[in-house]
Amino acid sequence: MSNPHDDLRIAFRYAAKPQMNSSIGDKNRYDLGKPLDDSEFSSQRLKYDGAYSYESLYRFIANLCRSDRHSKTRGPTKNLLRIVIGHLGSPFWTDSAEFSTFLVRLRPLLRNAHVVVFATAASETMYEQLSDELFATADLYLQLVAISEEEQKKLSSLDKYHGYLRILRLPRLTSVGTHNPPADLVFTQKRNSFDVSILHLPPALGDEPQNAKAPCNVDF
């Protein structure tokens, strides 16, 4: 049972601390439940109807990247194209052996075009080699990890979150070093939004013992 005197001392210590806003992007929120008129985007949407093959998909993307509309060196006008690929590395692909070749060929192709590719993959169920290759070739790598029930039981502050958002790699094309966010990020999936917040650990439950030994200094 905790000592009431210790509880008051802890409360007094953090009373003067400013309230921290854990949410990110409050000013720019997108309502996922708001219906969109498909007619506004039908003329700008391209659909891939080819085989579930890496080689076939690469040829489709290559034709788009080399077209006058999206190539950096051809055509009078430049238009940005966003391509979304789902389930990379899954067993649904008919030529799974071409996964590595597809990634290696895709990277330089995108460098010479106004094209951005967003891809999703279940890295936890992929072969470790394929997961490592995907990480090595990606400019931006984000990972969503669900919070287990054991973690929620050990740390009550995780009850309102669904998982961790880990930024494992950021683009570094035009910089010597990249910015690495120091904060631990968590997400909450709601009906109309996907909210990302900063995870703040609870304060310490007591002071350090007065007779605790000071750490020794070590030079490397």
Side-chain angles (χ1 to χ4, degrees):
M1 185 175 180
S2 61
N3 190 338
H5 177 71
D6 293 338
D7 294 340
L8 291 175
R9 181 174 55 183
I10 295 173
F12 177 77
R13 180 199 307 172
Y14 292 97
K17 295 290 184 180
Q19 294 292 329
M20 292 178 293
N21 183 15
S22 301
S23 59
I24 298 177
D26 285 340
K27 296 182 180 179
N28 301 311
R29 298 182 65 86
Y30 183 79
D31 188 359
L32 299 178
K34 182 180 179 180
L36 298 176
D37 188 2
D38 188 66
S39 60
E40 298 181 4
F41 307 96
S42 58
S43 61
Q44 305 295 329
R45 182 181 300 173
L46 299 175
K47 187 176 181 180
Y48 171 71
D49 295 325
Y52 224 72
S53 163
Y54 290 117
E55 179 61 28
S56 178
L57 179 60
Y58 174 80
R59 290 197 299 266
F60 178 79
I61 297 176
N63 292 332
L64 293 174
C65 292
R66 294 165 182 165
S67 64
D68 294 343
R69 188 175 185 181
H70 304 296
S71 175
K72 289 184 178 180
T73 58
R74 300 173 57 183
T77 59
K78 307 300 178 184
N79 294 275
L80 179 64
L81 176 64
R82 179 176 58 190
I83 300 176
V84 180
I85 306 175
H87 309 291
L88 275 182
S90 69
F92 295 105
W93 298 88
T94 58
D95 53 351
S96 299
E98 299 297 325
F99 177 80
S100 303
T101 305
F102 172 76
L103 295 179
V104 173
R105 297 169 66 191
L106 183 64
R107 187 182 180 95
L109 185 66
L110 300 177
R111 292 288 185 267
N112 297 315
H114 297 283
V115 179
V116 178
V117 171
F118 292 88
T120 61
S123 58
E124 295 296 329
T125 59
M126 293 174 61
Y127 289 111
E128 184 177 358
Q129 179 182 354
L130 300 182
S131 180
D132 293 342
E133 292 175 354
L134 182 60
F135 176 78
T137 55
D139 294 321
L140 173 65
Y141 196 99
L142 305 178
Q143 188 178 53
L144 300 179
V145 181
I147 297 177
S148 63
E149 294 182 0
E150 290 76 11
E151 290 179 285
Q152 292 179 342
K153 292 179 180 178
K154 293 180 181 178
L155 197 59
S156 59
S157 59
L158 295 176
D159 289 342
K160 58 182 179 180
Y161 302 116
H162 293 147
Y164 300 101
L165 173 61
R166 296 173 179 170
I167 304 177
L168 302 182
R169 170 168 289 185
L170 289 174
R172 58 196 183 281
L173 297 177
T174 58
S175 63
V176 177
T178 59
H179 169 67
N180 187 17
D184 293 326
L185 302 178
V186 287
F187 69 88
T188 305
Q189 186 175 357
K190 300 180 180 179
R191 182 177 181 181
N192 295 334
S193 63
F194 183 87
D195 299 338
V196 178
S197 306
I198 300 175
L199 177 62
H200 296 292
L201 296 177
L205 299 180
D207 293 328
E208 293 293 333
Q210 297 296 330
N211 58 351
K213 295 182 179 180
C216 59
N217 296 326
V218 180
D219 295 332
F220 292 94

